[in-house]
Amino acid sequence: MKKDRSDWTVKKVTFAEAEELDIEYWADKSIKERMLEASKWITEVWAIHKKIHGESVSIPDGKHVKLKTEEDDF
């Protein structure tokens, strides 16, 4: 699902200003909202990881076996 960007504004800020804005943004969120955002982000990151690398199966001695092989694996 694409986000509607029609009402977004772009503002150039310094790194320090960006840090302050980030702190303010998260300070306004409740603990529950922060945890939901973190969980959503983790889910998205793992979905991208699985899309790129494929599913893997862990075997007892700590090695991993990919279920999907690609041309550049050989």
Side-chain angles (χ1 to χ4, degrees):
M1 180 173 87
K2 286 192 169 188
K3 295 181 181 179
D4 179 22
R5 297 181 180 177
S6 60
D7 63 341
W8 287 16
T9 57
V10 177
K11 177 182 171 186
K12 291 186 178 183
V13 295
T14 65
F15 182 77
E17 291 170 329
E19 287 290 310
E20 283 298 318
L21 292 170
D22 194 45
I23 290 168
E24 288 175 25
Y25 174 81
W26 289 108
D28 289 340
K29 302 266 183 195
S30 68
I31 296 291
K32 184 176 180 180
E33 289 173 319
R34 292 178 200 173
M35 292 298 108
L36 287 172
E37 287 284 331
S39 297
K40 180 181 168 188
W41 178 246
I42 290 168
T43 303
E44 289 176 11
V45 168
W46 278 109
I48 293 168
H49 177 76
K50 286 180 183 177
K51 186 176 181 181
I52 293 170
H53 301 289
E55 294 281 337
S56 64
V57 177
S58 182
I59 53 180
D61 62 353
K63 295 179 182 176
H64 294 279
V65 177
K66 286 179 22 173
L67 298 178
K68 180 177 88 175
T69 57
E70 299 163 356
E71 283 184 34
D72 65 346
D73 289 344
F74 301 102

